[in-house]
């Protein structure tokens, strides 16, 4: 859903209302970097791994036993009310009336809402506002959460802390390989 590109002195762009920021780039647009002999043709040879978000791996949260069982393997749908605070999901989970004191939380923490939905906390939502913390998306899958759009569907897969650590190592190794490939092309 999102892609960020940067060049040392920016890209040539025709200003819109006095600014070049926020101008959407479409497929097949050509970006020309300022003062650099580089031209980038905007197209994807293959879909990034972060867009293959059909399954998110999670580790158990500290308050999961307080809630009715959550059907992790069932289909969940991203609601339009999602933003950087959190990705709101609707699914077939039971309602509950649990209210807890707020506490600090990490990005990727999953709350069970009273109405039976789930909320995956994003970068602008670092506290839990009274809902039970039932699971956390593993580090290696967090970029996939950022690519979710309204009406997308997903499932969760429970994993162990050891498997989450191994997945993080593989993820970091892949990022390092991509970084090296980019350096070789420059």
């Amino acid at each position: 859903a999102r892609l960020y590109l940067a060049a040392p002195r920016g890209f040539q762009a025709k200003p819109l209302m006095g600014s070049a920021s926020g101008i959407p780039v479409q497929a097949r647009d050509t970006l020309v970097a300022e003062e650099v002999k580089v031209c980038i043709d905007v197209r994807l040879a293959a879909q990034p791994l972060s867009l293959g978000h059909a399954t998110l791996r999670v580790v158990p949260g500290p308050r999961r036993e307080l809630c009715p069982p959550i059907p992790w393997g069932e289909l969940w749908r991203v609601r339009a009310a999602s933003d950087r605070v959190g990705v709101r999901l609707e699914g077939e989970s039971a309602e509950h009336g649990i209210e807890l004191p707020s506490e600090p939380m990490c990005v990727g923490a999953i709350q069970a809402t009273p109405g039976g939905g789930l909320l995956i906390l994003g970068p602008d939502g670092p506290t839990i506002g009274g809902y039970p913390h039932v699971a956390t998306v593993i580090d290696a899958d967090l970029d996939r959460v950022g690519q979710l759009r309204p009406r997308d569907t997903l499932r969760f897969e429970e994993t162990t802390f050891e498997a989450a650590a191994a997945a993080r190592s593989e993820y970091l190794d892949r990022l390092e390989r991509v970084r090296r490939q980019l350096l070789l092309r420059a």
Side-chain angles (χ1 to χ4, degrees), residues 13-16 19-26 29:
K14 182 177 176 182
L16 177 67
S19 174
S21 66
I23 297 173
V25 177
Q26 305 297 320
D29 282 356

Side-chain angles (χ1 to χ4, degrees), residues 179-186:
R179 188 185 74 77
R180 285 188 194 139
Q181 288 174 347
L182 291 173
L183 288 175
L184 288 174
R185 291 180 187 168

Side-chain angles (χ1 to χ4, degrees), residues 38-100:
V38 174
C39 211
I40 301 169
D41 187 11
V42 180
R43 69 177 103 178
L44 297 175
Q47 186 172 352
L49 289 176
S50 63
L51 297 181
H53 50 68
T55 302
L56 293 176
R57 294 169 288 181
V58 298
V59 292
R63 310 279 187 261
R64 115 187 257 167
E65 300 304 321
L66 297 177
C67 292
I70 295 172
W72 296 111
E74 297 299 317
L75 211 55
W76 293 86
R77 183 175 305 283
V78 177
R79 292 181 43 208
S82 300
D83 56 21
R84 285 179 48 93
V85 171
V87 175
R88 298 175 186 281
L89 304 171
E90 55 190 25
E92 296 297 323
S93 191
E95 296 181 7
H96 67 78
I98 301 163
E99 177 120 4
L100 302 168

Side-chain angles (χ1 to χ4, degrees), residues 71-157:
W72 296 111
E74 297 299 317
L75 211 55
W76 293 86
R77 183 175 305 283
V78 177
R79 292 181 43 208
S82 300
D83 56 21
R84 285 179 48 93
V85 171
V87 175
R88 298 175 186 281
L89 304 171
E90 55 190 25
E92 296 297 323
S93 191
E95 296 181 7
H96 67 78
I98 301 163
E99 177 120 4
L100 302 168
S102 291
E103 57 185 329
M105 201 45 55
C106 63
V107 173
I110 302 175
Q111 296 178 268
T113 65
L118 296 177
L119 173 64
I120 305 172
L121 290 181
D124 290 350
T127 62
I128 283 196
Y131 304 149
H133 174 197
V134 294
T136 303
V137 176
I138 68 170
D139 284 350
D141 289 356
L142 279 177
D143 59 344
R144 296 174 185 192
V145 174
Q147 296 292 334
L148 291 170
R149 295 173 294 188
R151 294 182 303 284
D152 278 352
T153 57
L154 64 118
R155 289 180 179 13
F156 292 98
E157 177 184 306

